[in-house]
């Protein structure tokens, strides 16, 4: 059996320092130390020796591995930031770098919120501070009870499947003790022996290796072999390579060919990509009926991107006949997956309908959920809510926090609001010409890149 486990990494990325350790825990949180920042600004860069420390409480283990993630063997590391008030309340939480899986990101945010924090201290007194956390969701491989030495002995006989299993066993321990050179050696041996999964993994590794921008032939060399076995993720990766010029020249005919092969086998991301191409008429003849057909297939396959896109079409009634009830059913499915754009849209819909204060508060709660998962428009809306006191208690400092978070992603309106605050003062912030100049320069730089 493969047992789930979780790991916690701690560090001061806000200080541009590396995360200093990764600690494993299962039933309880091990003793840990966090580097934190004063909450006045995300851009504050005080000396490390002056930082307050904020610690999670240890009464219970609230980190629950999502069942669907276990079934799909999903793993990854999520980087988060928490703003902890002087009384230990989490005032803001956001995903800074996704694990690659929404359900793992959401479970990490929820679990750490439920665990709670003790506040950071400055001069012996509790203070509001930022705390940065990396959390790793990992599934330990026991290879159904096979001892590592037995598996290695089988791998050394040249059995490609045993070599692949042994590489997986080694790589499951990468966070603490694996020798990645050894892991890659066994992947390569398995790949050369014809194991399609090993070939796929090596091809993906080469594809995402930014240190080698010209290794397209190596990537294709590894990926074409499992593509011949109709491995759908490989077919989709090849489509993406030719579509977005990853390590190869753009070739939309090739992109459509590979996307179609993956889509015909039910791969929802390929279906969604084809729907986008046919709707826009990008290198294929524009065909709304074909586009909607692919959107429906991807939505039926539970891809939240397609569910939201199709829901918006059904609400507008521009590409398909309007059907608000079906649109709401699709949006509900995406919301249940914690898909940030769906959470944001639900908040916008409820806000438009809100009349009583509790209805406004409920709408803002959906916006806050999307904001915590990194949705920039939701972060901007949440900042506005804190600024105006609409749906929650008015708080200029928290408005600044969310404007900063949205602006750091390039949200133009958030950048403009920060520029105005730093130029003229407001929201409890004194005028700051230096910071105003920084945001003005960033806005000017963005305008220079616009066509």
């Amino acid at each position: 059996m493969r047992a789930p486990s979780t790991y916690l990494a701690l560090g001061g990325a806000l200080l541009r320092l590396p995360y200093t350790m990764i600690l494993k825990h299962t039933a309880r949180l091990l003793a840990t130390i966090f580097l934190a920042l004063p909450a006045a600004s995300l851009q504050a860069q005080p000396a490390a020796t002056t930082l307050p420390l904020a610690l999670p409480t240890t009464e219970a283990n609230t980190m629950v591995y999502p069942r669907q993630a276990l079934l799909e063997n999903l793993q990854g590391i999520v980087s988060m930031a928490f703003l902890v008030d002087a009384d230990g309340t989490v005032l803001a939480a956001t995903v800074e770098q996704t694990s690659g899986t929404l359900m793992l990101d959401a479970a990490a945010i929820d679990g750490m919120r439920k665990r709670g924090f003790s506040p950071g201290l400055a001069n012996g007194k509790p203070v509001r501070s930022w705390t940065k956390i990396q959390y790793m969701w990992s599934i330990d491989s026991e290879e159904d009870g096979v001892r590592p030495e037995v598996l290695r002995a089988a791998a050394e006989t040249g059995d490609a499947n045993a070599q692949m299993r042994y590489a997986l066993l080694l790589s499951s321990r990468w966070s603490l003790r694996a020798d990645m050179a050894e892991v890659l050696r066994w992947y390569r041996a398995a790949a050369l022996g014809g194991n399609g999964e090993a070939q796929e993994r090596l091809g993906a590794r080469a594809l995402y290796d930014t240190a080698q921008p010209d290794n397209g032939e190596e990537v294709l060399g590894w990926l074409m072999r499992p593509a011949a076995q109709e491995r759908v993720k490989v077919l989709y990766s090849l489509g993406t390579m030719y579509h977005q010029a990853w390590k190869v020249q753009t070739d939309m005919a090739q992109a459509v060919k590979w996307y179609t092969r993956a889509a015909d086998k039910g791969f929802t991301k390929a279906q969604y990509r084809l729907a986008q191409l046919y709707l826009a008429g990008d290198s294929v003849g524009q065909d709304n009926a074909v586009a909607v057909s692919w959107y429906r297939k991807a939505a039926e396959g539970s891809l939240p991107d397609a569910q939201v896109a199709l829901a918006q079409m059904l609400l507008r009634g521009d590409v398909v006949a309007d059907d608000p009830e079906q649109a709401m059913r699709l949006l509900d499915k995406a919301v249940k997956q914690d898909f940030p754009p769906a959470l944001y849209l639900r908040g916008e819909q409820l806000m438009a309908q809100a009349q009583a204060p509790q209805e406004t508060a409920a709408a803002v709660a959906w916006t806050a959920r999307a904001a915590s998962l990194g949705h920039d428009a939701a972060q901007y809306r949440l900042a506005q809510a804190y600024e105006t006191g609409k749906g929650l208690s008015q708080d200029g400092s928290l408005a600044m926090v969310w404007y900063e978070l949205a602006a750091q992603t390039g949200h133009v309106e958030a950048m403009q609001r920060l520029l105005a605050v730093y130029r003229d003062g407001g929201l409890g912030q004194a005028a700051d010409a230096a910071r105003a100049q920084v945001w003005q320069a960033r806005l000017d730089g963005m305008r220079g890149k616009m066509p």
Side-chain angles (χ1 to χ4, degrees), residues 28-271:
R28 65 185 183 279
L29 187 69
L30 299 181
T32 55
I33 295 178
F34 290 70
L35 295 181
L37 281 178
S41 169
L42 293 180
Q43 295 179 328
Q45 300 284 324
T49 55
T50 69
L51 295 177
L53 298 176
L55 298 173
T57 58
T58 58
E59 285 80 3
N61 180 20
T62 59
M63 310 307 288
V64 179
Y65 217 118
R67 184 173 183 275
Q68 190 61 34
L70 286 174
L71 293 174
E72 297 180 21
N73 193 32
L74 299 175
Q75 306 177 67
I77 298 175
V78 54
S79 299
M80 302 165 286
F82 294 87
L83 179 58
V84 182
D85 208 355
D87 64 358
T89 302
V90 176
L91 297 174
T94 187
V95 172
E96 293 201 316
Q97 185 170 347
T98 178
S99 64
T101 305
L102 286 172
M103 69 180 82
L104 295 182
D105 294 348
I109 286 281
D110 291 343
M112 291 306 300
R113 273 186 176 276
K114 291 175 183 176
R115 184 179 297 281
F117 291 83
S118 58
L121 300 176
N123 298 320
K125 296 182 179 180
V127 294
R128 181 182 292 189
S129 60
W130 278 101
T131 295
K132 306 270 289 191
I133 299 174
Q134 272 191 335
Y135 204 87
M136 182 170 72
W137 300 98
S138 177
I139 300 174
D140 290 335
S141 175
E142 299 298 335
E143 285 296 334
D144 297 323
V146 178
R147 295 197 308 274
E149 61 270 22
V150 173
L151 197 56
R152 179 174 182 124
E156 288 175 340
T157 68
D159 184 323
N161 290 332
Q163 291 167 341
M164 180 62 199
R165 291 176 64 194
Y166 187 59
L168 286 173
L169 177 63
L170 292 177
S171 64
S172 71
R173 305 171 180 178
W174 72 270
S175 64
L176 295 177
R177 53 191 179 276
D179 179 346
M180 285 309 298
E182 180 75 354
V183 171
L184 291 174
R185 181 172 79 84
W186 287 110
Y187 275 142
R188 183 174 290 275
L192 293 174
N195 185 280
E197 185 177 356
Q199 294 165 348
E200 179 178 339
R201 285 173 178 265
L202 286 175
R205 182 179 178 84
L207 178 60
Y208 294 105
D209 186 353
T210 56
Q212 299 187 62
D214 301 319
N215 66 340
E217 290 187 9
E218 178 190 356
V219 175
L220 291 174
W222 286 121
L223 292 185
M224 285 299 182
R225 304 179 206 187
Q229 302 170 25
E230 297 295 303
R231 298 179 70 91
V232 291
K233 289 184 179 179
V234 175
L235 301 176
Y236 176 74
S237 292
L238 288 167
T240 302
M241 285 180 69
Y242 285 109
H243 183 189
Q244 299 183 353
W246 286 5
K247 308 291 181 83
V248 295
Q249 294 294 317
T250 301
D251 187 331
M252 289 307 298
Q254 285 288 322
V256 171
K257 181 187 81 171
W258 292 110
Y259 282 150
T260 302
R261 282 176 61 175
D264 285 341
K265 292 188 172 298
F267 194 66
T268 55
K269 290 183 179 180
Q271 293 168 341

Side-chain angles (χ1 to χ4, degrees), residues 274-296:
L274 284 175
Q276 291 177 307
L277 293 178
Y278 278 105
L279 187 64
D282 187 0
S283 302
V284 293
Q286 184 177 20
D287 192 322
N288 288 347
V290 172
V292 170
S293 174
W294 283 121
Y295 274 127
R296 290 191 185 280

